[in-house]
Amino acid sequence: MNGFALLPAEIAAPTVEFRALAPVLLVLAAACLGILAEAVVPRAHRFLVQVVLLVSSTVVSFGFLIANWRKGIGGPIAMGSIMLDGPTYFIWGSLLVLGLISLLVFAERKLGGGASAFAASAASVPGSVAESEASAARLEHTEVFPLALFALGGMMLFPASSDLITMFIALEVFSLPLYLMSGMARRRRLLSQEAALKYFLLGALSSAFFLFGVALLYAYSGSFDLSAINAAVSGPIYGRGLMLTGMALLGIGLLFKVGVVPFHSWTPDVYMGAPTPVTGFMAICTKFAAVGATLRVFYVAFGGERWNWQPMLAVLAVATMLLGALLGLTQNDIKRTLAYSSIAHAGFILTAIVGANAGTPTGQLTSVGSAMFYLVAYGFATIGSFAIITLVRNAGGEVNSISGWSGLGRKSPWLAGAFAFFMLSFAGIPLTGGFIGKWAVFASAWRGQYAWLVLTAVLLSLVAAYFYLRIVVVMFFGDAAAGVEIGNASAFTLVPVAICVAGVAVLGVAPGPLLDLASTAGTFLR
Amino acid sequence: MPMIPLETVAPVAATGLFSFAWLMIALPATGALLLLLVGKPLERIGHLIGSATVLGSFGVALVLFVQQLGLPAEARAISLPLYQWFTAGNWSINIGLLVDQMSILFALLITGVGGLIHIYSIGYMAHDERRRRFFGYLNLFVAAMLILVLADNYLVLFVGWEGVGLASYLLIGFWQHKPSAAAAAKKAFVMNRVGDLGMTMAIFAMLAMFGSSAFVDVNQHAEHLDPLWATIIGCLLLLGACGKSAQVPLQAWLLDAMEGPTPVSALIHAATMVTAGVYLVVRSHAIFAMSETASLAVVIVGTVTLLVGAWIGTSKDDIKKVLAGSTMSQIGYMMLAAGIGPDGYAFAIFHLLTHGAFKANMFLGAGSVMHGMNDDVNMRHYGNLARYLPITFITFGLGYLAIIGVPPLSGYFSKDHIIEAAFHASPVIGSLALIGAGVTAFYMTRLMLMTFLGAKRWPKSVHPHESPRVMTIPLMILAGLSVVAGLAMNGWIQEWLEPAIGSHPHEVEWLPTPVGMLTMLVVALGVAASWFVFGRSDIPATAPVSRNPIIIAGRNDLFGDAVNQALVVGPVGHLARGVVLADDKAIDGAVGTLVATLGGLSKQGRRTQTGFVRSYALTMVAGAAVVGLLLLLGQMA
């Protein structure tokens, strides 16, 4: 906006629209309060305080969101650094709902015999005396709740940012807590810490790409503001190479977070090493925020350059779907399988982005709307399946090898049935939300004249269906694996599973309301 | 047979109490859900829940019936749209109920007789440890059967059609530990599939012809239907009806279905489900009115079946199989009446209702006998049971008098009308129906003589005893209905049904007509012949070897299974083996190669996932180069 003014004559106090920003501010405020609570609240009460903070902040925040949306509050806010438009509202709402459901699983303690899934003292060296002392003292890591809330707040900010600096800060706000949380598993701590370190190093590398892209784009357009970049792209003065390089580097930073091939390598290792509730949380919420930000950058800033980036993304989409589907075939670990599944799904979502076109009539589902719907459907199935993964255990904790899941259908028909239902949704079988989501993104790519991409995607989703169905077959037709039990869980795990089953079913049978909502919220403001 | 397009009255929208018609279905459906899904906690009260839902449903049906009685004739058909199921192109399929003069009678029969059978089953199944499940299945059946008769279009009807098929399968095979029961269930299911094929094809054809499957639309547009298509649709519907109603050539499953618990035989395989074919034909009257060929086919199927069923009934020693043959035969009468057209529709339904009462009565009576005889079904081991099971004897006896058509019991009125209408249609058909009545009297008398009269033939270890009250009271009620149902409905049912099915009411005779006299004579001859053969002398405890081809054919169900084996099972078996071979070699081979290729690629691909951050970072940097290259290519293109 004021990119060309080098030195402002006087510094005006920034205006902040508190009401409009309330959903994000409340989440961040609750995170700060949570940190404070760690300092002042006696240890015995911290867990309760944190859970209350978590639930109340997200619920109240969601209330504000709905009220603001109904009131029609919108447009650029916070000095133009945040854009409150349809996609922002939709993504915020989805993040709050999915975030709350996935964070409830963090609070499960009954399963581990009174201990949560997080290390008693994450700073202690694995296998050290300090660690065993911390376990013996039944210490608990309640810091994970404020960390998660910070991450959630950052994720909400990320896709809503309308300038690249805010977007970068949001990126770091949600990434840093995720790195930490990935390393906090109570069991298999070395694996978990390794995952955290890998995630951090590669994340830092991707941030470097991101920043480099931001710098080049500033050099090109003289502004961080997305609409200013768009103006510069539409009326180029000089340096198209600068713009294209900047776009590519920025794009890499974003696609890393989405988990698109060839920036996907972190996904399987981190998904496997992180504590399972954290995996569930980041599998959907990170992806949602990152897809939202990708959409905003490519649509708002580079909408005029569509002809340049669409073929590039189409190739990446094919590579992503192919690699996800193919490598998922031979995995033995259920979390790794789902990691590859998440890569394949990133590819399916990319097909919607590729389908971007200006011709969608008002009131119909845009490519943005279809991607968002897809993510909601995918989100319910993801949270639900990771929650169920926490339940399948033996004496040493979770059993993640697929062979250990053999015969689960006989031990617990309800949970195995729910898991099978999620797998069917991932595979895109009708009467599940996954089917409607796939249909929506494919329709979007089709309208965008990418019929060949749709055909490829359908074929590859067939390949992917194989490994989802393999898990179902193992669960229901395999001999019961010895020593593997369904853990005795509290409502913190079972309620999210039930909500997710209901969500996937409702989205599969009666997707109308959410599709309508996604259609009305499907256009970015510039 | 004169073919006149029929005028039926369009239904009016539901108001008031009729808006609650869905409760009739919802109650037993809820019962089934509770009993089958909640399971164990309801073990002790499952039978009470099951019976209560059906009785509640009966209450609703009764209230609606009384309401209808108070309405003028043209306002009695009530339609109750529930919701839109789906739309595709120009079609919209709505789910809705049609409570008209015909469907309410069916609803009363299903819930009324069904309720009594539920109560009876409390006693009959008292010692079965899976009684809760049994009641769950029974409720499922009642709900599906009500969907079938209350649907307002063929697609929803088909949902109920398949639902009763499923319930029938589950209940025939209820004692699944018996291989014979499991096989019988499978046989019933597979043979019904053949009929269902006809049914689905008929529905598709109707959708193609009329753009709708609603009864209202079909009735309205049938007048303009091409006669060839009317014949095709009619014959396809008939195929569906043959499957469900065990009519020749799809009759063979019904005799085996007697493997199910006796209340099941009474409810599903006598009183309600097997009559669904008759319902279907009468409901589709507008189609049959357009095709003489299809109507004639219905008449032929009905006539052949009524004779075949009666024939089988004469030579069986298993009491339930005699009754099963008799059921086939009686449904044959109904089909015959339905095929005659507007002159016969009302009589088909009339006979269906009276038959529902007296056949359920006799089946439950047979169950009561088996209950007292350690589940022995061989009549050659019975004899003189009238002394030991007096209530069963009297109720069964009333059913017997009703079925052979002794005035003024119910069967007399309903069957007599059919025979009369058959004579009007064609003397040949009429004579055959008359012969059937004589044979019916013959085999039913044989059953009575072998079971209740004569000398006792059971072994010492058996101690026949009367059944408990919970079983005998339903018997008494049903016996009462067998007696009065004919008198109650004779002068009324034609007028009542006319707006719904376009029947032509005739002045009914209360006193025997010449044909009626003739029928009574033939029946008397049948009874006398039976007494002559079975009543005078002792009955051997094992069936004597017979060289009489008629008896041999009867004992072997007229070789129905052999015909099926030769014509269908054998050739299809060869075909199936060929397909399996092709599947194994060609298709699985191709798929196997594909899978192996993909698996190999996957294994290669896994090597990229080294676990080293440095190689991951390198991948990213290489990826950045790829992205740059792609953009560059895009620029050049």
Side-chain angles (χ1 to χ4, degrees), chain B residues 263-525:
Chain B
V264 171
S265 311
L267 178 60
I268 302 185
H269 305 118
T272 56
M273 184 189 84
V274 285
T275 59
V278 180
Y279 173 83
L280 183 70
V281 172
V282 176
R283 192 48 105 187
S284 316
H285 57 84
I287 304 274
F288 286 98
M290 296 309 295
S291 167
E292 272 193 49
T293 319
S295 303
L296 184 63
V298 176
V299 170
I300 293 175
V301 162
T303 313
V304 169
T305 310
L306 87 85
L307 292 172
V308 164
W311 188 349
I312 292 173
T314 55
S315 25
K316 289 287 180 188
D317 292 332
D318 178 332
I319 185 168
K320 286 181 71 181
K321 294 211 166 164
V322 175
L323 290 175
S326 152
T327 302
M328 275 165 65
S329 166
Q330 298 301 312
I331 296 172
Y333 274 107
M334 300 169 208
M335 277 289 178
L336 163 60
I340 289 172
D343 294 330
Y345 289 146
F347 300 139
I349 302 297
F350 186 18
H351 193 52
L352 192 157
L353 296 172
T354 56
H355 172 258
F358 63 67
K359 188 52 72 60
N361 169 26
M362 285 193 284
F363 257 115
L364 295 185
S368 174
V369 171
M370 288 160 59
H371 189 77
M373 296 293 292
N374 292 356
D375 286 333
D376 193 348
V377 289
N378 192 340
M379 294 191 295
R380 291 189 185 276
H381 303 162
Y382 295 169
N384 200 20
L385 288 178
R387 258 190 64 200
Y388 298 86
L389 293 87
I391 299 175
T392 307
F393 170 63
I394 292 169
T395 57
F396 202 110
L398 290 171
Y400 160 74
L401 295 177
I403 192 175
I404 65 171
V406 172
L409 278 72
S410 60
Y412 161 72
F413 292 103
S414 53
K415 188 157 43 166
D416 217 45
H417 292 321
I418 294 179
I419 295 175
E420 198 135 349
F423 268 111
H424 274 292
S426 139
V428 179
I429 303 289
S431 317
L432 292 173
L434 190 62
I435 294 174
V439 182
T440 305
F442 177 82
Y443 68 74
M444 286 309 299
T445 310
R446 171 175 176 266
L447 186 149
M448 288 302 282
L449 290 172
M450 287 175 79
T451 304
F452 292 106
L453 305 172
K456 65 176 188 181
R457 297 182 296 276
W458 62 81
K460 285 228 163 42
S461 57
V462 178
H463 305 285
H465 56 86
E466 187 56 274
S467 301
R469 280 270 176 270
V470 72
M471 288 165 69
T472 49
I473 288 175
L475 283 178
M476 293 182 219
I477 298 174
L478 284 169
L481 283 174
S482 315
V483 175
V484 299
L487 275 173
M489 290 192 284
N490 190 32
W492 164 85
I493 190 157
Q494 291 193 73
E495 304 277 339
W496 172 258
L497 284 175
E498 186 198 352
I501 58 178
S503 53
H504 295 167
H506 293 269
E507 196 58 38
V508 288
E509 303 288 341
W510 290 90
L511 294 172
T513 55
V515 173
M517 301 277 210
L518 190 61
T519 312
M520 275 196 270
L521 181 68
V522 172
V523 166
L525 280 175

Side-chain angles (χ1 to χ4, degrees), chain B residues 95-135:
Chain B
I95 293 197
L97 303 183
L98 173 66
V99 186
D100 71 353
Q101 291 91 333
M102 176 156 71
S103 53
I104 195 70
L105 288 182
F106 270 87
L108 284 171
L109 172 75
I110 294 159
T111 53
V113 174
L116 290 173
I117 293 176
H118 273 73
I119 294 170
Y120 175 94
S121 306
I122 295 176
Y124 191 82
M125 301 297 282
H127 304 297
D128 196 299
E129 57 191 22
R130 291 160 74 228
R131 180 165 72 166
R132 168 186 54 79
R133 183 179 292 260
F134 181 79
F135 275 85

Side-chain angles (χ1 to χ4, degrees), chain A residues 198 201-202 205-206 209 240 244 247-248 252 256 262-263 265 268-269 308 312 315 326-327 329-331 336 340 463, chain B residues 37 595 598-599 601-603 605-606 608-609 611-613 616-617 619-621 623-624 626-628 630-631 634-635:
Chain A
K198 279 179 185 169
L201 288 172
L202 295 172
L205 181 61
S206 85
F209 277 111
R240 270 185 68 79
L244 283 177
M247 180 176 86
I252 290 168
F256 171 85
F263 316 110
S265 321
D269 294 14
N308 271 320
M312 184 259 293
V315 173
L326 208 54
L327 294 201
L329 291 179
T330 45
Q331 300 303 320
R336 269 188 108 77
Y340 282 106
V463 176
Chain B
L37 291 185
V595 168
L598 289 179
L601 281 175
S602 180
K603 287 222 173 66
R606 280 179 75 177
T608 58
Q609 200 70 20
F612 293 116
V613 179
Y616 293 175
T619 318
M620 280 178 67
V621 175
V626 171
V627 169
L630 285 173
L631 281 176
Q635 286 294 301

Side-chain angles (χ1 to χ4, degrees), chain B residues 556-636:
Chain B
N556 289 300
D557 311 342
L558 266 53
F559 304 109
D561 285 340
V563 170
N564 287 344
Q565 179 71 32
L567 287 184
V568 183
V569 179
V572 171
H574 284 298
L575 184 68
R577 276 187 287 277
V579 170
V580 167
L581 198 69
D583 182 51
D584 278 352
K585 298 287 180 233
I587 297 175
D588 284 7
V591 172
T593 319
L594 181 69
V595 168
T597 317
L598 289 179
L601 281 175
S602 180
K603 287 222 173 66
Q604 296 296 321
R606 280 179 75 177
R607 295 196 183 160
T608 58
Q609 200 70 20
T610 52
F612 293 116
V613 179
R614 54 171 190 262
S615 62
Y616 293 175
L618 188 65
T619 318
M620 280 178 67
V621 175
V626 171
V627 169
L629 196 68
L630 285 173
L631 281 176
L632 210 60
L633 283 176
Q635 286 294 301
M636 285 156 71

Side-chain angles (χ1 to χ4, degrees), chain A residues 57-348:
Chain A
S57 66
T58 43
V59 168
V60 173
S61 175
F62 190 73
F64 265 105
L65 181 86
I66 298 297
N68 286 352
W69 202 352
R70 292 182 68 106
K71 214 174 156 196
I73 297 176
I77 51 171
M79 311 290 287
S81 58
I82 289 172
M83 180 59 79
L84 203 54
D85 52 11
T88 301
Y89 271 118
F90 192 94
I91 295 173
W92 281 7
S94 315
L95 278 176
L96 285 171
V97 171
L98 296 171
L100 174 62
I101 301 174
S102 56
L103 292 181
L104 281 180
V105 184
F106 282 38
E108 174 67 53
R109 290 196 295 180
K110 193 173 165 194
L111 205 52
S116 66
F118 303 99
S121 163
S124 62
V125 176
S128 67
V129 181
E131 186 193 35
S132 40
E133 277 176 354
S135 318
R138 305 189 71 80
L139 292 187
E140 249 192 332
H141 231 307
T142 42
E143 287 91 342
V144 71
F145 291 102
L147 283 176
L149 281 175
F150 274 126
L152 190 61
M155 287 167 182
M156 291 170 72
L157 213 48
F158 193 44
S161 325
S162 79
D163 75 60
L164 293 172
I165 291 298
T166 314
M167 192 175 269
F168 179 71
I169 293 183
L171 171 74
E172 294 303 323
V173 167
F174 81 78
S175 296
L176 293 173
L178 283 179
Y179 303 147
L180 278 179
M181 290 194 291
S182 302
M184 286 168 55
R186 177 176 286 270
R187 314 235 185 200
R188 282 176 283 193
R189 294 192 55 203
L190 280 174
L191 199 66
S192 170
Q193 296 190 347
E194 182 189 327
L197 195 63
K198 279 179 185 169
Y199 195 14
F200 170 67
L201 288 172
L202 295 172
L205 181 61
S206 85
S207 292
F209 277 111
F210 188 97
L211 270 185
F212 203 172
V214 172
L216 292 183
L217 286 171
Y218 186 84
Y220 170 70
S221 67
S223 170
F224 295 117
D225 195 82
L226 293 182
S227 46
I229 296 175
N230 177 59
V233 168
S234 335
I237 309 164
Y238 59 89
R240 270 185 68 79
L242 208 55
M243 185 272 290
L244 283 177
T245 321
M247 180 176 86
L249 293 174
L250 180 62
I252 290 168
L254 291 165
L255 295 178
F256 171 85
K257 288 291 169 193
V258 182
V260 170
V261 174
F263 316 110
H264 67 286
S265 321
W266 60 277
T267 320
D269 294 14
V270 175
Y271 275 30
M272 190 168 92
T276 308
V278 174
T279 314
F281 172 63
M282 70 183 172
I284 176 57
C285 292
T286 311
K287 192 159 294 225
F288 214 132
V291 168
T294 312
L295 284 165
R296 184 176 295 279
V297 165
F298 278 100
Y299 282 38
V300 175
F302 302 114
E305 283 291 311
R306 196 159 79 230
W307 313 114
N308 271 320
W309 55 258
Q310 273 177 329
M312 184 259 293
L313 285 187
V315 173
L316 293 189
V318 171
T320 308
M321 292 183 286
L322 183 68
L323 190 126
L326 208 54
L327 294 201
L329 291 179
T330 45
Q331 300 303 320
N332 313 319
D333 184 288
I334 198 131
K335 281 166 81 178
R336 269 188 108 77
T337 310
L338 289 191
Y340 282 106
S341 143
S342 116
I343 294 175
H345 283 285
F348 293 127

